Amino acid sequence: MRTDGGGVVRRRERAEAKPLLLPVRECILLVVFLAIQASCFMTQAPARRSVHPSINTGSVHLRFARRRLFLSRMPIPQVYLPTLSASIAKSTSPADRSPDYASNRSLSKKRKRNTKRYEIRQLFQKAKDLERKGHWRKAADVLNEILVWDPADAHSHLALARLEGRRFPDTNKACEAFGKGTEACPNSVHLWQAWAVHEDSSGHVDRARELFEKALAIDPHNPYVCHAFGLMERKLGNVESAKKLWALALQKKSTAALVCQMGELFIAENQLDQTRELYSKHLLRLETAKDRTEVYLAAAWLEERYFTNYIKAEELIKSALALNPSSSVAHVALARLEGRNRQRIRGEGYESATARRLASACISLETEGNTVQPDDGRVFNAWAHIEIKGRRFSSARNILRRGLSRYPEDYSLLQAAGILEERVGNYTGARAIYGKSLRIQPAAPTLVAYALLDLRHPSSGEANFTRVKALFEEAILLDPRHGPAYNSYGNLELRQGNIRTARNIFERGILAHCSDVASVYHGYARLELSIGNVKKAREILVDGIREACQQDAGMDSPHRERALFLSHTLGMLELNSNRPIDALSIFIDGVNRYGNSSQLLLGAALCEVKLGNEVNARMLFERSLLVDEKHPQAWQAWGVMELRAGNTLTAQTLFECGIKAAPKHGALWLAYAISEGRLGNPETARSLFANGIKHSPRHIPLYQAWASLELREANYNAAKALISEALTRDKRNGSGWLVAAEIEKSLGNAGLVNLILRRGIECAPTNAELYRALGDSLLQRGNVLEAREIFEKGIDVDPLHAPLYHSLAELEARIFNVEGLSKLNARATKVFKTNALEPPSTAGEEAWGTKIRAGRLSSTPTGVKALAERIVEDDISDLFLNNTNLDLFIESISESLMEDGLVGQLFNMEMDRIEIDSDVAKT
């Protein structure tokens, strides 16, 4: 119950292939047949061979015939013959050969060679099947067996060397295998080319170039060698060398890989007309339908993205389908194009329009009499993915069942089914489906999904991190260019606090030039942000955007949606670093590249709000919600802007629409309730708070804001109950301690205020407002030195918190400390800019990095999350604002808190009896 090559997924090992199973009867008949042939030779050449006169050949034939009839009636026992030796018949000694046998020796050798090649092909296929199923050691044994039989078999040398490179990536075993292969087959271009690619992936560029040149010396126009050599040169920045290599190969033979790579070079140089001519010229020269389909899709992407000729793009994709109706890639490409067209022309959602086209394609494939079927279930998979993303799980399950009924061996459909079961909470079923997919074919995406399932919902009750990491390593071995494997693996190490290990994993992913490069760069940037390296994170994001643009320059890819978040994260980084102009340009550039993205449009709107351009901000908010009406952050941010501008009715309408679109988003309920409370409608505010907690019970600010409302209404018991519930759910939320201190201050318990604030700083050491409140409280009691120390410590924790500067300035002014005021003013001027249009400085960036690093002192970082991440929930038609009994609600909270003894612990403690529970102390 194991796999070779570092795998840890337990799956049933197939037994070794048994040798050929031949009955005794057939073996004897074969001997009889050879004997008859020999007797015929003897009768044809009596002068050349002496035959004993007593032997009657006719009687011999008769006895053979009788013997054959007798054997045919016997039971058939089974004997086992070795696989290799079964095809090699033992020949008689040279002295027994007849002259006719000797004359036909060349024909017999030819037959043996044909049999030998057939056996080698069978064994080679067996080795590839074993490799595909993850049995790498057994596959290597079979390949070595072939090479013992035929040391000059170049295909086996190549497969063995590649397999050794995957089994032992950090050793020289692959190079040793390549060396033996090229020594036995010095004229094999593919061996030299594969060896060069291996050296390039290991970072040995000079050695790789030397091997490529040896391959070109054998075949100067070989398309595979020129393609791989050109990719290496382009990666190194030698664009002209890459262009010459590809042009040299295209003179002799056209392949889709060469044509598309040359097209990407022309696009990068803005030679769009030349790119169009290139595709048109080589389409007719391509030999296979698959290659023509790929070039058709590249030409369609060129027309859509660079010439904005959407009609021509659609015609090209339909031409690809007419040429190759079984191409599932072309079906999905046509659906994606139609989704973008409907979004552009009619304002429809991209995913809904794409799903309709995919549904139509699936229905046509299932129509009776349709003899053309795609090669795999990619169309069903793409449709189900959209349904899962939209949380339409029942529809997605039905789609996957339809796909699996037609493609039961499609492991990617099974992987999608496992993801679906995991989303609905059926973790046991998801684990079983992942296992079935891995038995069909081990694949990196399935292994990553399996590892994440074991991490989030372990079957044994506790996550086995060693096993999970081994799964990630095996996924990387299976597909070294699978970006999500590096992303998930690096994030796991980051959550465990292994910063150096996580950084090494992301750097491995960058060196591997993953097909989904955006996921690697995004994870790497989040790592640097989580430890406060804002400058390094910016550099990583810029590099990632450049690589992603180069990757999708010549062909549409589903990975483009992931690359979008690189622009989003970089824009939010600039916005948080007090660079709204730079952030706005990044968001707009992302919209121009990836289309109308709700997240990018929301980011641009926030930049306009920061710059004071409310008119432009409204336009961007509206565009964001037209793209995704269930984007709760967009409703919330727009409503808050209108509320601050005094447009109360507009703000209320926006909040109501947002709550209907995303009823489980607690921040929307919070903003709406606060607005009603400030407008003098406390009962409406209470209803909104209660229903917000009902739909989003984990949103702590709802409890805090409701407690503040009750505090203003002098309902101190209700306020205590609510804030105690908030602190019970999350003691590390600093705002709860601020509200608790304010309640005690209103009740006249001045001694408890400082104690609560100090405890809050212990639980939430990165909350700058706690330092300001404690400093103000100490200053009111005359503790100037301690208050100054608290203010300065708060500024060190969060250099961007302006009220701390104001409080410290008031303190220095109160004691007439002119020198202190001057230093404070210089420090504040360095961090805060009064004119957002001035060139950006690095002070804001450094201050934000300091704030992030301070946050790492209290807990393990979880990374910096994007502000405008989409949240889609099920719709609820009514808000139920007037169906909650508020008194019973607060009373139930109070009773539950009194049972735990937390109300008395937090609010009724005497100054000589203060206990900090061990949970908080450890934090």
Side-chain angles (χ1 to χ4, degrees), residues 485-695:
Y486 297 97
N487 193 327
S488 302
Y489 194 4
N491 286 332
L492 172 60
E493 295 290 353
L494 175 61
R495 286 195 294 271
Q496 291 185 323
N498 305 325
I499 304 297
R500 182 175 299 177
T501 305
R503 186 180 284 115
N504 290 337
I505 291 170
F506 286 120
E507 289 175 353
R508 285 169 56 191
I510 291 174
L511 292 175
H513 296 279
C514 298
S515 56
D516 182 11
V517 68
S519 61
V520 180
Y521 279 96
H522 191 259
Y524 196 3
R526 289 178 58 199
L527 181 149
E528 298 297 341
L529 278 176
S530 67
I531 59 177
N533 295 339
V534 180
K535 182 177 180 181
K536 178 68 173 176
R538 178 186 290 108
E539 294 173 355
I540 292 171
L541 290 169
V542 170
D543 292 342
I545 291 173
R546 184 183 65 254
E547 291 291 332
C549 291
Q550 179 179 328
Q551 196 173 65
D552 63 16
M555 188 78 72
D556 183 23
S557 169
H559 301 321
R560 295 183 69 249
E561 281 75 9
R562 297 180 183 175
L564 176 151
F565 286 98
L566 289 172
S567 297
H568 182 263
T569 305
L570 180 59
M572 295 308 300
L573 183 151
E574 299 294 358
L575 186 59
N576 284 324
S577 298
N578 202 24
R579 297 180 176 184
I581 296 294
D582 292 345
L584 181 60
S585 65
I586 292 168
F587 287 127
I588 296 301
D589 180 68
V591 171
N592 294 333
R593 180 179 294 112
Y594 301 110
N596 285 333
S597 164
S598 184
Q599 292 87 352
L600 292 176
L601 290 168
L602 173 58
L606 294 174
C607 293
E608 295 288 5
V609 172
K610 183 95 172 180
L611 295 170
N613 303 327
E614 292 185 358
V615 176
N616 293 339
R618 288 189 183 95
M619 293 173 58
L620 290 167
F621 279 130
E622 184 176 2
R623 289 177 60 187
S624 175
L625 290 170
L626 285 175
V627 174
D628 181 12
E629 64 179 12
K630 293 186 178 182
H631 193 169
Q633 288 89 351
W635 292 108
Q636 176 192 351
W638 192 0
V640 170
M641 186 194 78
E642 298 294 350
L643 193 63
R644 289 176 177 173
N647 303 323
T648 306
L649 294 178
T650 303
Q652 290 177 341
T653 302
L654 290 169
F655 290 142
E656 290 173 0
C657 292
I659 288 172
K660 288 184 178 180
K664 295 183 180 180
H665 189 68
L668 276 168
W669 294 96
L670 175 66
Y672 195 5
I674 289 176
S675 66
E676 290 294 335
R678 291 178 178 176
L679 292 173
N681 302 321
E683 293 301 323
T684 305
R686 288 190 181 97
S687 297
L688 289 167
F689 280 129
N691 283 280
I693 292 173
K694 178 181 178 181
H695 289 94

Side-chain angles (χ1 to χ4, degrees), residues 30-279:
L30 178 62
V31 176
V32 170
F33 174 74
L34 294 175
I36 293 174
Q37 293 295 322
S39 65
C40 293
F41 295 149
M42 289 187 292
T43 57
Q44 291 173 2
R48 298 184 183 180
R49 183 176 180 86
S50 61
V51 181
H52 197 279
S54 64
I55 297 179
N56 186 343
T57 55
S59 62
V60 172
H61 289 301
L62 181 60
R63 286 197 299 273
F64 278 141
R66 290 175 178 173
R67 182 62 175 169
R68 182 177 182 179
L69 179 63
F70 172 74
L71 289 172
S72 65
R73 298 173 180 174
M74 291 177 61
I76 306 175
Q78 306 292 327
V79 296
Y80 296 91
L81 299 178
T83 304
L84 287 174
S85 60
S87 61
I88 306 175
K90 292 183 179 180
S91 60
T92 57
S93 63
D96 296 333
R97 291 178 184 156
S98 65
D100 292 311
Y101 179 82
S103 66
N104 293 328
R105 188 181 304 173
S106 61
L107 180 61
S108 177
K109 286 184 177 180
K110 184 176 180 181
R111 289 174 178 171
K112 288 183 179 180
R113 283 197 300 270
N114 291 338
T115 305
K116 182 178 178 181
R117 282 196 295 270
Y118 174 75
E119 292 293 339
I120 288 176
R121 284 197 298 269
Q122 293 295 105
L123 285 173
F124 186 82
Q125 185 59 47
K126 174 185 175 182
K128 299 303 289 183
D129 290 342
L130 288 170
E131 181 182 359
R132 180 174 57 84
K133 294 181 180 298
H135 308 316
W136 292 352
R137 181 182 57 79
K138 293 182 179 180
D141 292 342
V142 174
L143 292 172
N144 281 315
E145 187 178 357
I146 296 174
L147 293 175
V148 170
W149 194 13
D150 185 3
D153 186 68
H155 295 287
S156 298
H157 278 294
L158 178 60
L160 180 61
R162 286 176 172 171
L163 184 58
E164 295 292 355
R166 296 172 68 183
R167 291 178 66 193
F168 309 103
D170 299 327
T171 65
N172 293 326
K173 291 194 174 184
C175 295
E176 294 173 1
F178 278 121
K180 293 179 181 179
T182 52
E183 183 179 355
C185 311
N187 295 324
S188 174
V189 177
H190 299 291
L191 272 171
W192 292 106
Q193 183 256 358
W195 193 358
V197 171
H198 174 76
E199 295 290 354
D200 177 34
S201 64
S202 302
H204 307 146
V205 178
D206 294 334
R207 178 60 174 160
R209 184 177 285 110
E210 177 185 346
L211 294 168
F212 277 130
E213 290 173 353
K214 288 184 178 181
L216 288 177
I218 300 172
D219 185 357
H221 299 274
N222 187 278
Y224 304 102
V225 179
C226 291
H227 178 250
F229 198 0
L231 286 177
M232 187 188 78
E233 294 293 352
R234 184 184 181 185
K235 181 180 65 177
L236 297 173
N238 305 325
V239 178
E240 291 301 322
S241 298
K243 188 183 296 184
K244 290 179 181 178
L245 285 165
W246 294 336
L248 180 67
L250 287 172
Q251 292 175 4
K252 184 177 180 180
K253 183 178 180 181
S254 297
T255 65
L258 286 169
V259 173
C260 293
Q261 287 295 335
M262 186 67 84
E264 286 185 15
L265 276 185
F266 288 154
I267 291 172
E269 297 173 354
N270 203 27
Q271 300 178 10
L272 302 181
D273 292 328
Q274 193 169 350
T275 309
R276 181 186 276 172
E277 293 175 3
L278 174 76
Y279 292 152

Side-chain angles (χ1 to χ4, degrees), residues 650-813:
T650 303
Q652 290 177 341
T653 302
L654 290 169
F655 290 142
E656 290 173 0
C657 292
I659 288 172
K660 288 184 178 180
K664 295 183 180 180
H665 189 68
L668 276 168
W669 294 96
L670 175 66
Y672 195 5
I674 289 176
S675 66
E676 290 294 335
R678 291 178 178 176
L679 292 173
N681 302 321
E683 293 301 323
T684 305
R686 288 190 181 97
S687 297
L688 289 167
F689 280 129
N691 283 280
I693 292 173
K694 178 181 178 181
H695 289 94
S696 182
R698 296 183 179 180
H699 192 71
I700 305 303
L702 280 169
Y703 299 91
Q704 298 167 352
W706 193 356
S708 298
L709 173 67
E710 299 299 342
L711 176 61
R712 288 196 300 271
E713 298 292 324
N715 298 326
Y716 299 116
N717 290 333
K720 284 185 178 182
L722 289 165
I723 201 60
S724 299
E725 174 69 8
L727 292 173
T728 301
R729 291 178 176 270
D730 187 3
K731 296 182 178 67
R732 292 179 294 180
N733 191 307
S735 300
W737 298 102
L738 288 169
V739 175
E742 192 66 27
I743 292 173
E744 295 302 327
K745 183 179 179 181
S746 300
L747 291 173
N749 300 328
L752 287 177
V753 172
N754 290 351
L755 294 174
I756 292 174
L757 291 173
R758 292 182 187 277
R759 183 173 181 179
I761 290 175
E762 292 176 356
C763 297
T766 61
N767 188 287
E769 192 62 25
L770 282 171
Y771 293 92
R772 189 193 66 81
L774 179 58
D776 288 342
S777 178
L778 291 171
L779 187 60
Q780 290 176 2
R781 302 182 68 174
N783 298 333
V784 177
L785 296 178
E786 188 177 2
R788 180 191 287 116
E789 181 182 352
I790 292 295
F791 287 141
E792 291 177 347
K793 186 176 180 180
I795 292 175
D796 291 337
V797 169
D798 186 0
L800 296 177
H801 194 69
L804 278 170
Y805 293 87
H806 299 159
S807 297
L808 183 55
E810 291 178 1
L811 182 149
E812 301 295 356

